[in-house]
Amino acid sequence: FMSSGDIGFKVNIPENSRLTTIGAYCFYKSRLVNFTIPASVRNLDPIEEDGIIRDRIGIGEYAFAASIGKLTEIVFLKDSNEYPLTIGYSAFENQSSLTSIELPKRLASYASASGEVIAPLANGPLVFYGNDSLSQITVEAGGKRSRIDLGVPEGKENEKDS
């Protein structure tokens, strides 16, 4: 971790990391400004702990969500393994300083322990809900990049004017 004083902190995990998941609420409401996600972060099979079956998607729900976001950059490192990755519900909610993001081509659905299939972006563009500054998402696929322009979610058209 590297502190940036009152502004926040940066997390740069080495490329050779063995980190496999970023859990739900892991950096919830933190002062995180920059985060590098190693290529080792990926979906894992569900596991039973204390009689409870737990899903293990790569990036858990609300993992980076904030009340007032300071996150300006998320970097997804790449390697040849291309492990499947799902981004959980509202993982980047309210990160209003994030203006763009490039998602890796390894995004994939996840089959939960209950049999539910969770989409690569668990709740679609709402993974980034409340990010008024985020104007585009770039997704790498087959050597090409596609852009997803974010509109205002249905029913939220007048919220900015309030």
Side-chain angles (χ1 to χ4, degrees):
F1 295 98
M2 181 172 30
S3 176
S4 297
D6 289 336
I7 297 171
F9 64 95
K10 300 177 181 183
V11 176
N12 294 307
I13 299 170
E15 287 185 39
N16 61 352
S17 169
R18 295 187 313 173
L19 178 69
T20 54
T21 62
I22 298 171
Y25 297 89
C26 188
F27 293 99
Y28 181 68
K29 293 189 178 182
S30 71
R31 293 183 347 194
L32 189 64
V33 294
N34 178 292
F35 195 90
T36 300
I37 298 173
S40 59
V41 171
R42 62 187 179 271
N43 300 337
L44 298 174
D45 291 333
I47 189 171
E48 185 175 338
E49 295 176 334
D50 300 323
I52 299 170
I53 297 177
R54 300 188 191 282
D55 293 322
R56 299 186 298 165
I57 65 172
I59 299 175
E61 63 186 28
Y62 298 97
F64 296 94
S67 52
I68 300 173
K70 302 285 185 197
L71 187 63
T72 59
E73 184 177 37
I74 288 279
V75 175
F76 289 87
L77 296 179
K78 301 171 189 166
D79 73 4
S80 60
N81 290 320
E82 297 299 322
Y83 295 119
L85 175 68
T86 301
I87 299 176
Y89 292 96
S90 302
F92 296 99
E93 183 175 287
N94 292 327
Q95 286 296 349
S96 56
S97 296
L98 192 62
T99 58
S100 66
I101 189 167
E102 183 173 334
L103 300 173
K105 66 182 178 181
R106 61 193 183 98
L107 289 177
S109 296
Y110 180 80
S112 72
S114 66
E116 174 189 9
V117 175
I118 300 170
L121 295 177
N123 54 337
L126 293 178
V127 163
F128 303 99
Y129 179 74
N131 296 2
D132 297 336
S133 300
L134 184 60
S135 58
Q136 71 182 21
I137 300 171
T138 305
V139 181
E140 183 185 338
K144 296 181 180 179
R145 292 183 177 166
S146 300
R147 290 195 173 147
I148 301 170
D149 290 322
L150 297 176
V152 178
E154 190 175 322
K156 304 287 183 184
E157 295 87 358
N158 297 321
E159 252 184 38
K160 287 185 182 179
D161 300 329
S162 302

